[in-house]
Amino acid sequence: MSTFHSKTCIRFVARSTQTDYISIENKDGCYSSLGRTGGKQVVSLNRYGCVYHGIVQHELNHALGFYHEQTRSDRDQYVKINWENISPDMAYNFQKQNTNNQNTPYDYGSVMHYGRTAFSIQPGLETITPIPDGTVEIGQRQGMSNTDILRINKLLELY
Ligand SMILES: [Zn+2]
């Protein structure tokens, strides 16, 4: 949260009487709903496996309304989705979304980008391959990229 404070216009405050708010809880896994849902919305950060800088930033970005980078509307120009390597019950995670992308470039280094073997049917099999250069690194969870930060600030300019 302090990174959001130093790099973006977002200010997290302790909830007092707000009707709509996030509640950070130690549930089963790392997850968040997308954007404001109304009322209480849980951001789950399991204490064994989710409490890392990059993962916290990833989940809080979901709460702010950001999708996974590899689902953005123009992703087919930048990555190839290897459907044959994806578990069918997990395929929905790779469906394209109708995103406007805020005039920002596709960002392989986004903290919101999946790694290349996410939801693979077999360890090591690639589900996402960057194109045209398949060696480009994806899936980092160190922290927000400059473009991740730019998008938050661009979003807030609208308010
Ligand atoms: Zn996610």
Side-chain angles (χ1 to χ4, degrees):
M1 283 179 166
S2 63
T3 301
F4 284 84
H5 289 191
S6 61
K7 307 271 191 185
T8 79
C9 307
I10 292 285
R11 294 293 176 269
F12 291 101
V13 296
R15 182 203 176 218
S16 50
T17 58
Q18 290 86 351
T19 320
D20 301 341
Y21 61 100
I22 60 171
S23 176
I24 296 174
E25 301 184 14
N26 172 34
K27 299 281 197 193
D28 188 18
C30 327
Y31 60 82
S32 167
S33 44
L34 194 88
R36 188 181 200 158
T37 58
K40 170 182 169 175
Q41 61 189 88
V42 172
V43 173
S44 171
L45 294 174
N46 185 277
R47 74 174 80 239
Y48 304 107
C50 304
V51 188
Y52 297 95
H53 188 74
I55 293 178
V56 173
Q57 299 211 326
H58 179 101
E59 300 309 335
L60 290 176
N61 265 276
H62 279 317
L64 293 175
F66 291 95
Y67 285 103
H68 292 129
E69 185 73 354
Q70 79 284 343
T71 66
R72 63 183 255 170
S73 50
D74 60 351
R75 66 104 185 274
D76 292 329
Q77 297 171 244
Y78 304 98
V79 290
K80 180 172 170 283
I81 304 298
N82 304 305
W83 296 101
E84 69 279 11
N85 295 341
I86 298 170
S87 326
D89 53 331
M90 290 296 155
Y92 70 91
N93 289 297
F94 297 84
Q95 296 303 333
K96 262 190 290 190
Q97 304 295 332
N98 183 22
T99 57
N100 74 14
N101 310 322
Q102 301 171 278
N103 272 317
T104 59
Y106 191 90
D107 184 15
Y108 295 107
S110 170
V111 79
M112 303 309 284
H113 206 300
Y114 276 180
R116 61 182 68 235
T117 61
F119 298 107
S120 180
I121 49 171
Q122 201 179 296
L125 275 186
E126 284 195 6
T127 55
I128 306 173
T129 306
I131 50 177
D133 179 0
T135 66
V136 169
E137 195 184 323
I138 53 174
Q140 67 86 10
R141 289 293 180 273
Q142 301 305 307
M144 289 189 286
S145 69
N146 289 335
T147 304
D148 289 325
I149 292 164
L150 176 67
R151 284 175 193 153
I152 294 171
N153 288 325
K154 279 192 154 210
L155 188 66
L156 295 175
E157 277 172 16
L158 304 173
Y159 291 91

